[in-house]
Amino acid sequence: MSEVKTYPVSTNASQRAWIDESKYFEMYEKSIKNPDAFWGEQGKQLDWIKPYTKVKNASFEPDNVSIKWFEDGTLNASYNCLDRHLAERGDQTAIIWEGDDPGEDKKITYRELHEMVCRLAGGLKSLGAKKGDRITIYMPMIPEAAAAMLACARIGAIHSVVFGGFSPDSLANRIQDCDSNILITADEGLRGGRKVPLKKNADAAMANCPSIKHCVVVKRTGGDIGWQSGRDVWHHELCAQASPDTPAAEMSAEDPLFILYTSGSTGKPKGVLHTTGGYLLFSAMTHKYVFDYHDGDIYWCTADVGWVTGHSYIVYGPLANGAVTLMFEGVPNYPDASRFWQVCDKHKVNIFYTAPTAIRALMREGEEPVKSTDRSSLRLLGSVGEPINPEAWKWYHEVVGDERCPIVDTWWQTETGGILITPLPGATPLKPGSATRPFFGVQPQIVDADGKPLEGACEGNLCMTTSWPGQMRTVFGDHERFVQTYFSTYPGRYFTGDGCRRDEDGYYWITGRVDDVINVSGHRMGTAEVESSLVAHPKVSEAAVVGYPHDIKGQGIYAYVTLLVGEEPTEELRKELVQWVRKDIGPIASPDLIQWAPGLPKTRSGKIMRRILRKIAENDASNLGDTSTLADPSVVADLVENRMNQG
Ligand code: 6R9
């Protein structure tokens, strides 16, 4: 390792911060030594209907994995995000919405958002929705998406947001898995000047989803759409008839709040289930301390609400804190590569949170699109979704932040509900590329392949030894899969699936996934999902998919495909297969490179040796390691010789 430059905490940051360095260590120690006292105190940040008397009740033992927080308390998440703010900040902006078209924006106050949510909640009830129902949300980045989530929370229905970039089949699978009875969507979305046919996709999905009784449609573009009367209802008509004051249901802290599907190393995406009390507290508290949010700050997270980052850090965390949260419909390079910074200037954004893939893409456009803007409102920058390489970190710091803004590199997962490893801007000296230290109550452990805990400076697999309030509770409908996936590899601990290094200062450096999950532009993809899509093509016999380093996306998708005997490996077929996967799963799953493989490297027992395929894809064929267990070594020579050039 070359010498790492450390960036000390700036005086500005530490003076205004909720937490300075000594307070961090003091609070961290308390949170670990006495979690009940620590979280019992923190839990008071929320408004409870019936206060809790129990705080933490969690076991990671494989024969009894059970996670409960504040289990005897009751509350409502939508009440905490809206009603409780009305007296003090009813007329304050809750959401600043910036449209895809730079000419379109609006501000929605807490009072207005409250009414939007109450009306939709009432409308959903009039359609028969009740506590515990699953409602799927397939929406563009418009305020109605956030309102739909909160409306579900208000009546105790469990929302499942499906990213608007997913295909009809992916949407249908997710609806079927949780057996949703209502789908909320829009006629069309708008991204980078192009229309996204959401209702059309929803219609195709619903053709295979008899469980859906109603489809609520927001009019976004006014484009032509299909309509099934009796099933489909306009959002504006439904809301117009409903009460502006629908009461918030009393929910137990452990009642489910939402399901969010995410990719794993095997099988179909799993429904990560989060519950009400612990999740809301953890997202609110991390939002406040990690972004050092103070009243009046303008905060912008560029994620989509279809991902967990959008759930925790556009909707629940900020709104529970009474913050101003900016929601952006568009993309970073439309109309041009200055868009992010123009939006920062226009709305005087103070805190900006984005993904390394966006930084790298903008970095390629040079400094001019950034430097032509002012950005003097910016105070803090954040990063999430994948490891940020030190070059991108430095560019973000120097060019975007004018060396003035600390960067919080936040490590977390859909499963963790909120940020687990991160700097706090007033407390943590920064090292580019390191997520630095654990948040309060978080106890990381790095283990070797046998599960032996490693001490001091070390590298291995990242686990957590104890629960935190935002942790997922189960896989919807499949608790056994939850236990298997997260608690069986290293019994007694939660295994993250990430590799990690700890340096001599106790800083954590995430090295990336150690399982068969790849991270493409900050989006998680299971290699198994792409493989099963490829083998479903009538000309494909076998497929193996791995990640390879990609300049912009972080990782690209590299597919080795074996065709059925007699099929010709043509350029046309290659394109067809890319389109096939794109249509089947969604654009984010399109393979970047497809290599024709006459055979795949397998062990004698028939297991594909992915380690070898990864090395070839990484262009590191001189380093294939032990190949003595291969059934047919000549297969590898062919693959090495015909490796695709990186496009
Ligand atoms: C929030 C989110 C989770 C996976 C995670 C890890 C990677 C996220 C990171 C990071 C290095 C960071 N990841 N943040 N790696 N540094 N700051 O992204 O959730 O979509 O579930 O992805 O993303 O590999 O395991 P999710």
Side-chain angles (χ1 to χ4, degrees):
M1 277 294 292
S2 56
E3 195 51 43
V4 178
K5 180 174 170 193
T6 303
Y7 294 68
V9 176
S10 78
T11 326
N12 275 349
S14 71
Q15 275 172 355
R16 79 186 305 276
W18 294 111
I19 314 275
D20 64 15
E21 190 156 24
S22 65
K23 186 130 188 248
Y24 165 76
F25 285 115
E26 180 199 317
M27 282 174 72
Y28 182 75
E29 192 177 277
K30 186 175 173 203
S31 73
I32 298 304
K33 279 203 174 133
N34 193 343
D36 278 333
F38 180 84
W39 291 110
E41 185 58 35
Q42 294 295 330
K44 294 179 190 161
Q45 291 178 32
L46 299 181
D47 278 21
W48 297 82
I49 300 170
K50 179 169 157 271
Y52 48 86
T53 64
K54 293 185 193 157
V55 179
K56 180 180 179 183
N57 180 6
S59 156
F60 285 1
E61 290 313 312
D63 53 355
N64 174 39
V65 174
S66 159
I67 298 154
K68 290 180 181 157
W69 286 86
F70 311 108
E71 59 190 287
D72 62 347
T74 65
L75 76 169
N76 181 282
S78 125
Y79 180 92
N80 272 278
C81 291
L82 301 168
D83 306 56
R84 68 161 170 165
H85 302 314
L86 293 183
E88 247 188 69
R89 56 178 94 239
D91 297 321
Q92 180 206 296
T93 299
I95 297 180
I96 300 177
W97 178 73
E98 169 77 14
D100 185 56
D101 176 341
E104 242 193 317
D105 61 17
K106 63 180 158 192
K107 291 183 175 156
I108 297 172
T109 65
Y110 271 93
R111 201 178 316 286
E112 289 163 344
L113 186 60
H114 176 260
E115 182 174 337
M116 278 171 76
V117 169
C118 280
R119 285 186 179 275
L120 180 60
L124 291 171
K125 271 175 129 173
S126 74
L127 296 177
K130 39 181 209 319
K131 234 183 217 189
D133 283 0
R134 276 79 57 204
I135 296 183
T136 297
I137 299 175
Y138 183 64
M139 296 268 266
M141 283 289 288
I142 53 177
E144 286 80 359
M149 294 161 73
L150 293 168
C152 292
R154 195 161 189 89
I155 61 173
I158 306 166
H159 59 71
S160 161
V161 183
V162 177
F163 174 56
F166 276 123
S167 67
D169 274 351
S170 296
L171 173 61
N173 287 337
R174 286 159 173 77
I175 290 173
Q176 289 158 2
D177 184 80
C178 69
D179 200 25
S180 283
N181 51 3
I182 295 178
L183 173 63
I184 309 178
T185 187
D187 50 1
E188 294 173 315
L190 214 50
R191 266 169 68 86
R194 280 203 294 260
K195 290 179 174 170
V196 186
L198 293 173
K199 177 61 162 60
K200 188 170 164 229
N201 291 348
D203 285 340
M206 284 187 289
N208 296 314
C209 297
S211 63
I212 296 286
K213 300 294 177 259
H214 290 289
C215 177
V216 180
V217 187
V218 177
K219 194 178 251 181
R220 166 66 188 103
T221 63
D224 271 347
I225 52 170
W227 200 260
Q228 186 175 310
S229 64
R231 183 193 69 187
D232 298 348
V233 280
W234 281 114
H235 180 274
H236 55 272
E237 289 176 5
L238 185 70
C239 290
Q241 293 155 14
S243 157
D245 219 5
T246 305
E250 178 170 1
M251 305 301 290
S252 151
E254 282 302 332
D255 279 336
L257 179 62
F258 66 84
I259 299 167
L260 185 56
Y261 286 87
T262 192
S263 296
S265 46
T266 53
K268 285 188 172 184
K270 41 186 180 285
V272 167
L273 185 103
H274 283 288
T275 57
T276 307
Y279 169 82
L280 192 64
L281 171 64
F282 198 69
S283 57
M285 187 174 156
T286 46
H287 173 260
K288 174 172 167 178
Y289 291 143
V290 174
F291 300 107
D292 197 43
Y293 191 89
H294 292 259
D295 265 353
D297 286 343
I298 311 285
Y299 161 87
W300 178 17
C301 164
T302 69
D304 190 285
V305 289
W307 310 114
V308 74
T309 307
H311 282 60
S312 302
Y313 299 114
I314 294 177
V315 181
Y316 286 110
L319 295 178
N321 289 335
V324 184
T325 178
L326 193 150
M327 201 173 174
F328 176 42
E329 185 180 33
V331 295
N333 57 358
Y334 177 83
D336 58 54
S338 277
R339 186 69 193 278
F340 270 178
W341 326 120
Q342 287 161 0
V343 175
C344 287
D345 286 351
K346 179 177 178 185
H347 299 292
K348 300 282 172 285
V349 171
N350 307 116
I351 305 163
F352 177 76
Y353 189 31
T354 197
T357 185
I359 301 295
R360 287 192 300 263
L362 293 172
M363 212 169 130
R364 236 190 11 186
E365 307 284 331
E367 296 188 8
E368 201 279 330
V370 190
K371 291 299 181 194
S372 61
T373 62
D374 178 45
R375 290 161 288 106
S376 60
S377 59
L378 288 175
R379 194 188 72 233
L380 179 66
L381 303 172
S383 172
V384 61
E386 49 176 320
I388 180 164
N389 45 313
E391 302 73 56
W393 194 101
K394 286 185 185 129
W395 190 84
Y396 199 20
H397 188 254
E398 286 160 22
V399 181
V400 176
D402 289 326
E403 297 182 51
R404 180 185 71 246
C405 309
I407 296 177
V408 287
D409 175 1
T410 64
W411 175 87
W412 59 296
Q413 311 177 293
T414 305
E415 293 88 339
T416 70
I419 296 165
L420 294 199
I421 302 182
T422 180
L424 300 182
T428 320
L430 306 172
K431 299 186 193 185
S434 172
T436 76
R437 294 171 180 150
F439 189 74
F440 306 127
V442 173
Q443 268 186 290
Q445 185 181 71
I446 299 181
V447 303
D448 68 11
D450 303 321
K452 189 165 78 63
L454 303 174
E455 304 296 331
C458 60
E459 182 164 348
N461 301 317
L462 180 64
C463 296
M464 299 292 155
T465 60
T466 189
S467 183
W468 60 97
Q471 185 171 22
M472 75 183 282
R473 301 302 196 253
T474 191
V475 170
F476 183 79
D478 197 350
H479 194 67
E480 189 43 42
R481 188 169 177 201
F482 176 58
V483 176
Q484 268 303 318
T485 308
Y486 302 104
F487 300 94
S488 69
T489 320
Y490 304 113
R493 286 148 295 177
Y494 167 80
F495 176 43
T496 63
D498 278 318
C500 185
R501 184 166 72 79
R502 186 168 50 214
D503 69 16
E504 45 299 326
D505 297 324
Y507 274 39
Y508 291 84
W509 301 72
I510 308 296
T511 53
R513 303 287 305 196
V514 293
D515 54 11
D516 290 323
V517 171
I518 50 183
N519 194 324
V520 184
S521 301
H523 302 318
R524 261 167 82 164
M525 279 311 313
T527 51
E529 288 170 70
V530 183
E531 286 164 7
S532 76
S533 174
L534 284 166
V535 296
H537 188 281
K539 294 184 177 167
V540 173
S541 152
E542 270 198 303
V545 168
V546 296
Y548 73 98
H550 186 288
D551 284 351
I552 305 286
K553 299 179 177 184
Q555 278 189 301
I557 300 181
Y558 195 111
Y560 297 87
V561 172
T562 308
L563 295 174
L564 289 172
V565 178
E567 297 298 345
E568 280 299 307
T570 61
E571 214 29 57
E572 231 179 326
L573 181 55
R574 209 194 293 270
K575 285 188 192 135
E576 186 181 318
L577 290 177
V578 173
Q579 284 309 314
W580 172 271
V581 176
R582 197 183 161 87
K583 189 163 171 291
D584 189 28
I585 305 177
I588 55 172
S590 311
D592 295 282
L593 297 171
I594 294 181
Q595 174 170 356
W596 305 121
L600 294 172
K602 291 185 187 164
T603 61
R604 284 177 207 112
S605 62
K607 259 186 108 169
I608 294 175
M609 293 179 76
R610 295 169 170 286
R611 178 176 53 80
I612 292 178
L613 294 175
R614 264 184 230 123
K615 287 286 176 201
I616 298 172
E618 286 165 8
N619 228 348
D620 193 13
S622 60
N623 206 358
L624 291 183
D626 181 10
T627 53
S628 61
T629 54
L630 274 169
D632 175 7
S634 71
V635 161
V636 173
D638 177 282
L639 294 181
V640 171
E641 191 170 323
N642 293 304
R643 185 194 176 277
M644 297 296 294
N645 289 320
Q646 290 193 20

